[in-house]
């Protein structure tokens, strides 16, 4: 079976109402359609990714290609896990977690998107909390880093609520404009001290070597 060769397909991260896992191709098509319908109001630009600059068909295709690309380029030294987020069995968005030289740095970075029709109900915070549990409790991370535009309050509020602390800024060119992002960092110590929801992990043991860590290394 394909999961024997790519055990990440068997990984499950579950909260009280959400399940995070790799999507099937048909579920990926649903995610692509959701993204094409919008992940933010059309008159805003809260992400570096130009979600509203492409026709919906091209945007949807890009979502599919990004998932396939991340799987194809995966190595233990540099990986990106694009977990589809499901509520009541239906895809609602994507929670990404990525690592570079994770075995040494023990640091992850994250990004996410949630379809407009599912925003405003606390799903963004819950799926980030699930990802953090995977990183800290499952993989033994020591740091988690997130970045958001300084004028995009929603993800910054989620980060602060989960215990992240300011960690500097970054500057990017968006067309002829400079956009400033606030970088935030969550340490293992602060994560352990925070209020954490109940999260369960299934299928992780078979995946450990893909993340660059010893299968016998249990956090």
């Amino acid at each position: 079976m394909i999961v024997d060769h790519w055990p990440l397909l068997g990984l499950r991260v579950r909260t009280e109402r959400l399940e995070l896992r790799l999507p099937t191709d048909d579920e990926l098509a649903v995610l692509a359609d959701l993204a094409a319908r919008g992940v933010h109001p059309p008159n805003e630009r809260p992400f570096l990714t130009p979600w509203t600059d492409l026709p919906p068909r091209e945007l949807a295709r890009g979502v599919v290609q990004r998932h396939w690309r991340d799987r194809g380029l995966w190595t233990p030294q540099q990986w990106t896990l694009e977990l589809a987020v499901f509520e009541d069995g239906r895809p609602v968005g994507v929670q990404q977690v990525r690592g570079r030289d994770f075995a040494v740095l023990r640091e992850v970075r994250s990004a996410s998107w949630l379809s407009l029709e599912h925003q405003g109900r606390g799903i963004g915070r819950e799926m980030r909390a699930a990802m953090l549990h995977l990183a800290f409790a499952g993989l033994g991370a020591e740091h988690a880093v997130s970045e958001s535009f300084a004028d995009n309050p929603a993800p910054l509020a989620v980060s602060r609520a989960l215990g992240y602390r300011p960690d500097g800024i970054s500057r990017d060119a968006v067309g002829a404009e400079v956009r400033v992002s606030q970088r935030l960092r969550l340490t293992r110590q602060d994560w352990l001290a925070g209020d954490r929801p109940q999260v369960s992990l299934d299928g992780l043991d078979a995946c450990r070597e893909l993340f660059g860590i010893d299968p016998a290394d249990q956090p």
Side-chain angles (χ1 to χ4, degrees):
M1 296 178 65
I2 188 64
V3 71
D4 296 326
H5 302 287
W6 197 244
L8 289 166
L9 291 169
L11 177 63
R12 301 289 185 271
V13 186
R14 297 186 179 96
T15 67
E16 183 178 355
R17 62 172 168 170
L18 303 177
E19 181 179 68
L20 282 66
R21 59 175 172 80
L22 289 181
T24 66
D25 281 351
D26 286 341
E27 291 165 342
L28 182 53
V30 176
L31 280 171
D33 290 339
L34 281 176
R37 293 203 296 269
V39 300
H40 62 77
N43 59 336
E44 299 179 6
R45 174 73 185 271
F47 302 113
L48 277 175
T49 302
W51 287 94
T52 56
D53 289 359
L54 294 173
R57 185 176 179 83
E58 291 184 32
L59 176 59
R61 185 183 298 123
V63 169
V64 172
Q65 289 180 298
R66 184 158 52 249
H67 276 259
W68 288 343
R69 178 201 64 197
D70 289 338
R71 296 187 201 186
L73 294 178
W74 187 293
T75 68
Q77 293 73 39
Q78 187 157 333
W79 46 262
T80 299
L81 182 62
E82 294 259 355
L83 293 169
V85 180
F86 296 83
E87 182 187 27
D88 297 326
R90 297 174 300 176
V92 297
V94 167
Q95 176 66 61
Q96 180 195 96
V97 57
R98 61 189 184 275
R100 176 180 57 83
D101 296 323
F102 180 79
V104 178
L105 298 175
R106 296 286 173 163
E107 177 176 296
V108 299
R109 293 177 177 265
S110 66
S112 64
W113 63 262
L114 188 63
S115 69
L116 267 175
E117 58 208 80
H118 295 289
Q119 294 178 15
R121 298 191 290 115
I123 293 177
R125 176 173 174 171
E126 192 169 332
M127 63 199 228
R128 179 97 70 89
M131 179 278 297
L132 291 172
H133 186 91
L134 170 64
F136 287 113
L139 300 176
E142 296 294 333
H143 296 264
V145 178
S146 179
E147 281 190 80
S148 298
F149 284 155
D151 59 357
N152 186 16
L156 293 174
V158 167
S159 295
R160 294 188 182 107
L162 291 170
Y164 288 74
R165 300 174 187 261
D167 189 48
I169 65 169
S170 60
R171 301 169 74 247
D172 293 282
V174 178
E177 180 183 6
V178 175
R179 297 297 303 271
V180 177
S181 293
Q182 173 70 59
R183 189 169 60 249
L184 299 109
R185 181 177 296 270
L186 179 64
T187 65
R188 184 178 188 83
Q189 181 178 2
D190 285 343
W191 176 76
L192 287 169
D195 183 18
R196 292 172 278 120
Q198 185 174 354
V199 181
S200 66
L201 300 174
D202 291 306
L204 179 59
D205 287 347
C207 305
R208 290 188 182 279
E209 63 179 335
L210 289 174
F211 291 101
I213 53 180
D214 190 327
D217 183 9
Q218 300 285 338

